[in-house]
Amino acid sequence: MSALAPTLQAFFTDRLLRQRQASPHTITAYRNTLRLLIVFTAQRIGKLPGRLDLADLDAPLIAAFLDHLEHERGNSARTRNARLAAIHSLFRFAALRHPEHAADIERVLAIPAKRADRALVTYLTEPELQALLASPDRDSWTGRRDHALILLAAQTGLRASELTSLTCADAHLGTGAHVSCHGKGRKDRITPLTAGTVAVLRVWTAERAGNPTEPLFLTRRGQRLSLDALERRIAHHARQAADACPTLTGKKITPHVLRHTAAMRLLHAGVDTTVIALWLGHESVQTTQIYLNADLTLKEQALDRTTLLTSTPGRYQPPDQLLAFLEAL
C-alpha cells in the first residue's frame, strides 16, 4: 500500500475527528473534495486509487485538478477555493508525517486561492415574499408544512442545515417565543419569533404532534427533510408564485435567499448591523456588510443628504493633437 492511503485515513480519523473534532459538514466537504481529487488523479495517470502515492499529487496535477473543477465541472471560484483549502489541510498534515515529500508538499501549499468577484446578494421584496408565502396549498398537510417552513426561514434567517436540523423541542412558543439551533462553527444561538410566526408554528406543531427529539419538519414518510428536498420545495413554490408576482420570474429562490431576505428586512427596519450579525450567527460583522452594499434604498437616502454637485455638460476636447491621437485609440 502506498503512503497516500494511510495518510488519508489518518487525516480523517486522527486529525479531523479526534484532534479538531470537525463537524459532520466539514467531514463531508473534505471527503467530497478528496474523492474528486483521487478519481481525477487515477484517471489522469492511469493508476488504481489504492496505488497512488503522495508524489503523484504534485503541484502541476493539483493545478490541473483546480482547472478541471472550474472549466469542466462548472464550479465557481469560491467553490474552487474551498476545494483548495481542503487539499491544503491534507498536505499540511502530510508534511508532519512524510518529510521526505517536503519539496512536493511545499509546492502544493504555495498554490494560491483565486480572487473571486463578490456579486450582490439576492433577496425578496415584501410583495415577492408575500407571494411565496401564499403559494403553498394550506388545505394540504404538505402545504401547511411548507408554509410554516418558509415563514420561519424568512423571519429567522436560519441556514438550510439549521432549518432541517430543528427538533420539536427547539421551537419555544410560550413567553419569550424563540427557536434555538446549533449552527455553523458549533455555535448555539436563539432567534426570537414574531407573533405571526408563533401562531403558524403553534398550529403546525399541534398537527405535527411529535416527540421533543423528533424533526420539526419531516417528510410524508416521517423522515427528516433533507437539504435537497428543502431546496426543491422552495423552488417549486417560487415557480408557482411567479404567476402572481412576475418579478419572481427568472429569480433563483433558495433557502439562502430567504436568509438574505431576513437580513434585508432587519436592515430596512433600522436594526444595527452588529445585531443582524448576531441574529444570523455571522463570525464577523464584516460579513454583514454585504447587505449594506446590496441595499439601494439606504444608498438613495445617503444621496438625499448630500449636496448636489454642479458641472457643465459637454464632451472633453483634447487641447493638443497628440492627446487627440491618444484619445482616439
Side-chain angles (χ1 to χ4, degrees):
M1 183 178 291
S2 70
L4 179 60
T7 302
L8 265 177
Q9 182 178 0
F11 173 67
F12 280 99
T13 57
D14 294 342
R15 177 73 167 186
L16 295 183
L17 290 175
R18 186 174 61 83
Q19 296 176 7
R20 296 188 58 187
Q21 295 183 340
S23 69
H25 295 294
T26 301
I27 297 294
T28 300
Y30 280 31
R31 179 204 64 193
N32 292 342
T33 295
L34 297 176
R35 181 171 57 188
L36 286 172
L37 175 61
I38 294 303
V39 171
F40 174 83
T41 306
Q43 293 175 348
R44 191 175 182 90
I45 67 177
K47 277 188 180 182
L48 292 174
R51 294 185 178 274
L52 293 176
D53 203 346
L54 273 173
D56 296 322
L57 303 180
D58 55 13
L61 184 134
I62 299 298
F65 171 68
L66 296 174
D67 289 339
H68 164 76
L69 292 178
E70 286 193 88
H71 303 308
E72 297 184 36
R73 292 184 62 87
N75 290 166
S76 66
R78 292 184 181 278
T79 302
R80 179 253 194 208
N81 290 342
R83 303 290 194 197
L84 178 59
I87 295 171
H88 279 172
S89 182
L90 169 65
F91 274 75
R92 282 193 294 269
F93 174 75
L96 302 174
R97 298 172 62 94
H98 300 285
E100 67 276 14
H101 294 289
D104 290 334
I105 291 173
E106 185 177 357
R107 293 188 186 97
V108 171
L109 293 178
I111 298 176
K114 194 169 188 176
R115 292 180 65 88
D117 295 333
R118 172 166 287 185
L120 293 177
V121 297
T122 301
Y123 64 96
L124 301 182
T125 63
E126 284 300 318
E128 290 172 342
L129 179 58
Q130 294 305 320
L132 183 63
L133 286 170
S135 176
D137 179 13
R138 298 177 70 179
D139 290 332
S140 68
W141 181 89
T142 303
R144 290 189 292 273
R145 178 203 65 191
D146 291 352
H147 176 80
L149 181 56
I150 293 172
L151 179 63
L152 182 64
Q155 195 253 290
T156 61
L158 294 179
R159 298 179 178 89
S161 59
E162 295 167 348
L163 285 167
T164 56
S165 298
L166 288 176
T167 65
C168 294
D170 290 330
H172 305 269
L173 305 179
T175 304
H178 65 275
V179 289
S180 56
C181 71
H182 185 71
K184 186 177 180 180
R186 299 191 188 89
K187 291 183 293 186
D188 292 321
R189 75 179 191 276
I190 58 175
T191 307
L193 300 174
T194 63
T197 305
V198 170
V200 171
L201 285 179
R202 277 180 178 160
V203 173
W204 167 248
T205 53
E207 181 177 6
R208 166 73 181 82
N211 295 325
T213 57
E214 292 180 342
L216 180 60
F217 300 108
L218 70 168
T219 65
R220 278 287 189 181
R221 297 181 179 180
Q223 298 175 340
R224 185 183 301 276
L225 201 64
S226 68
L227 295 177
D228 289 340
L230 174 61
E231 290 199 2
R232 286 196 301 269
R233 296 306 301 170
I234 292 177
H236 168 73
H237 292 304
R239 288 191 297 269
Q240 288 187 329
D243 295 335
C245 186
T247 57
L248 284 171
T249 304
K251 264 190 176 182
K252 184 179 180 182
I253 310 303
T254 64
H256 215 69
V257 170
L258 296 179
R259 177 172 167 83
H260 292 328
T261 301
M264 295 303 290
R265 296 179 83 230
L266 291 170
L267 192 61
H268 289 159
V271 179
D272 190 80
T273 54
T274 56
V275 177
I276 298 176
L278 291 172
W279 187 291
L280 298 179
H282 285 163
E283 185 71 24
S284 169
V285 179
Q286 295 299 320
T287 307
T288 317
Q289 302 302 316
I290 60 173
Y291 301 112
L292 289 172
N293 190 42
D295 190 0
L296 184 59
T297 302
L298 288 180
K299 294 177 181 178
E300 290 174 342
Q301 291 173 356
L303 183 62
D304 291 339
R305 296 191 183 102
T306 61
T307 304
L308 293 179
L309 296 175
T310 58
S311 63
T312 303
R315 185 170 180 176
Y316 169 74
Q317 297 295 331
D320 184 87
Q321 288 185 350
L322 176 59
L323 294 178
F325 165 75
L326 293 175
E327 283 292 324
L329 291 177

